[in-house]
Amino acid sequence: MQQQEEVKFGAHSAHFEPPDTLVASFNGLINMDEVKRTSQLYRETFERHGQYYCVADIGRSQIDTAGRRYLSDNGRSEWFHAVIYVGADVVQRTFGKAIALAMLFTGKTSFETVFMPTVEEAHAWIAQHRVQRKRKTG
């Protein structure tokens, strides 16, 4: 898959895979500056490419309550076709769903929140979801 330049912030990184997928990998504690950079990256990706799939590999990371609140308050549901969390444990799944719910209250559209064990399975889900969306839109 063709990808654009990788963006690094702290121990975390992200890259865009055309036509519509941002893959972000988080490692260790995500501090507030990194949370803000993540939110900015999500917004910038939408501004450059329109709605997209966000694959967030979070299995080796942690975010505190203030960081989760910041993402909830500053993320917008209309940016995403779906957010696919990779490697999330039970606690991360709960927080991922809470962030999605908060964004739905502030956003104009709905999106899917999905949990997958691997990035490869996330890509397979995206491929299947694209086909379903294409069928619905004709």
Side-chain angles (χ1 to χ4, degrees), residues 56-115:
D57 187 348
I58 63 170
R60 295 171 307 281
S61 69
Q62 297 174 342
I63 186 170
D64 65 14
T65 302
R68 289 189 298 273
R69 186 173 301 116
Y70 187 90
L71 286 176
S72 297
D73 292 344
N74 293 281
R76 299 292 174 256
S77 61
E78 59 264 22
W79 296 346
F80 308 102
H81 292 304
V83 176
I84 303 96
Y85 292 104
V86 174
D89 61 24
V90 172
V91 172
Q92 290 169 319
R93 285 175 186 245
T94 301
F95 291 134
K97 289 176 185 177
I99 289 170
L101 185 60
M103 283 196 301
L104 287 174
F105 284 128
T106 62
K108 298 175 185 164
T109 62
S110 63
F111 67 101
E112 293 194 54
T113 302
V114 180
F115 299 93

Side-chain angles (χ1 to χ4, degrees), residues 5-85:
E5 182 177 321
E6 186 171 44
V7 176
K8 292 189 179 265
F9 45 106
H12 322 294
S13 63
H15 65 272
F16 187 79
E17 297 176 355
D20 60 358
T21 305
L22 179 73
V23 179
S25 179
F26 299 93
N27 293 290
L29 182 63
I30 306 168
N31 68 38
M32 185 54 79
D33 287 339
E34 294 162 345
V35 168
K36 290 178 180 179
R37 178 64 185 113
T38 300
S39 180
Q40 178 185 13
L41 176 65
Y42 291 171
R43 179 183 43 79
E44 290 171 353
T45 301
F46 172 73
E47 290 170 353
R48 285 189 193 119
H49 304 284
Q51 255 189 348
Y52 63 97
Y53 294 95
C54 180
V55 176
D57 187 348
I58 63 170
R60 295 171 307 281
S61 69
Q62 297 174 342
I63 186 170
D64 65 14
T65 302
R68 289 189 298 273
R69 186 173 301 116
Y70 187 90
L71 286 176
S72 297
D73 292 344
N74 293 281
R76 299 292 174 256
S77 61
E78 59 264 22
W79 296 346
F80 308 102
H81 292 304
V83 176
I84 303 96
Y85 292 104

